[in-house]
Amino acid sequence: MIAQGNKVQIVDHPLAQHLLTRLRAYQTAPHQFRRYALELSDFLVYEAARQMNVRETGVETPVGPAKGAVLSDYVIIAPVLRAGLIMAEAAQKLLPAARIYHVGLKRDEETLEAKSYYDKLPDSLPNDCRVFVLDPMLATGGSAVSAIDLFVKLNVKTIQLVSFVAAPEGIKRVHDKHPNVHITTASVDTQLNELGYIVPGLGDAGDRIFGT
Ligand code: PRP
Ligand code: URA
């Protein structure tokens, strides 16, 4: 695991890089893409969860007392629709007690700005909750910032972003507005192209996951 600054965590584990490479390949069919995406999500969420708080506790084994630790955060998983749904499946498996709040955003293909079409967030959330915003692609950062803004408005202090691939432009936009957001990704790619796609990236994540 490589940390770029202390707010960008690059998961360089061989298994994660293998899966990312399979996801990048244009020959990977949607059914394979979904399988690799689920597996990569497991690794990324697992690494992102290193930031979580635990409470020390005692436990009795069949042989005697032991020291232990249990997760102590109130966790929210926030998948950005559509592509983030596959990551939520993995995150829910790892963090079964988490609440899931879906955030519906669609990037306007012309302006590249994210437009909201669905959010069903509550009026308030516990101050000490930890939100994992899940979006496979951090391109211009417009979608990520819009999703993060929703939780900041609810006074959430601890927000993490998990993405398969991040563009430097997207990381900068997120950290310019929300410097405390911790980003976990399998790769920081080179740049965006003129259409706002990450280069080399993996193409349109939503289309590849859902075969559209
Ligand atoms: C894609 C992707 C991200 C967003 C990233 O979603 O899944 O959510 O674009 O781009 P940005 O960083 O420039 O905002 P899209 O809006 O195409 O929706 P989809 O997941 O439904 O395909
Ligand atoms: N959305 C995607 O799905 N891929 C990109 O490269 C950029 C935005």
Side-chain angles (χ1 to χ4, degrees):
M1 180 179 54
I2 303 170
Q4 260 205 350
N6 59 359
K7 289 292 173 191
V8 182
Q9 174 191 21
I10 302 173
V11 180
D12 65 345
H13 191 289
L15 292 177
Q17 292 303 315
H18 173 84
L19 291 165
L20 175 62
T21 303
R22 301 269 49 86
L23 288 171
R24 288 194 195 274
Y26 76 88
Q27 302 94 328
T28 301
H31 69 281
Q32 299 168 310
F33 193 95
R34 282 192 291 277
R35 204 188 89 211
Y36 298 139
L38 267 173
E39 290 175 5
L40 180 59
S41 302
D42 279 346
F43 292 122
L44 296 181
V45 172
Y46 173 83
E47 289 296 346
R50 281 182 192 277
Q51 303 294 316
M52 292 178 74
N53 293 307
V54 291
R55 181 169 43 78
E56 291 185 3
T57 184
V59 63
E60 288 290 330
T61 82
V63 182
K67 286 184 184 161
V70 290
L71 296 173
S72 61
D73 291 324
Y74 180 105
V75 179
I76 290 175
I77 296 168
V80 177
L81 304 178
R82 294 172 295 166
L85 281 174
I86 201 130
M87 302 180 77
E89 223 174 301
Q92 195 177 23
K93 190 180 60 186
L94 295 174
L95 300 164
R99 280 78 174 163
I100 303 194
Y101 288 108
H102 299 88
V103 179
L105 292 167
K106 179 78 195 111
R107 196 168 81 140
D108 184 304
E109 297 297 335
E110 306 271 301
T111 64
L112 298 183
E113 283 309 311
K115 297 229 169 77
S116 166
Y117 61 86
Y118 180 83
D119 91 68
K120 222 170 167 233
L121 266 53
D123 295 334
S124 67
L125 285 169
N127 275 346
D128 59 346
C129 69
R130 177 180 299 273
V131 175
F132 290 97
V133 173
L134 307 178
D135 190 339
M137 308 306 282
L138 175 59
T140 65
S143 303
V145 166
S146 299
I148 292 164
D149 282 347
L150 293 173
F151 291 97
V152 169
K153 274 189 205 133
L154 293 174
N155 288 320
V156 176
K157 303 281 181 293
T158 311
I159 301 174
Q160 296 188 225
L161 173 64
V162 186
S163 297
F164 295 168
V165 181
E169 295 90 331
I171 293 173
K172 181 173 184 315
R173 183 154 171 192
V174 168
H175 281 161
D176 280 352
K177 184 143 190 217
H178 301 294
N180 291 326
V181 168
H182 184 278
I183 300 174
T184 301
T185 184
S187 177
V188 178
D189 275 11
T190 313
Q191 63 195 57
L192 297 177
N193 68 13
E194 63 286 357
L195 299 175
Y197 275 81
I198 302 176
V199 181
L202 49 77
D204 189 309
D207 283 353
R208 296 195 66 191
I209 291 166
F210 296 106
T212 51

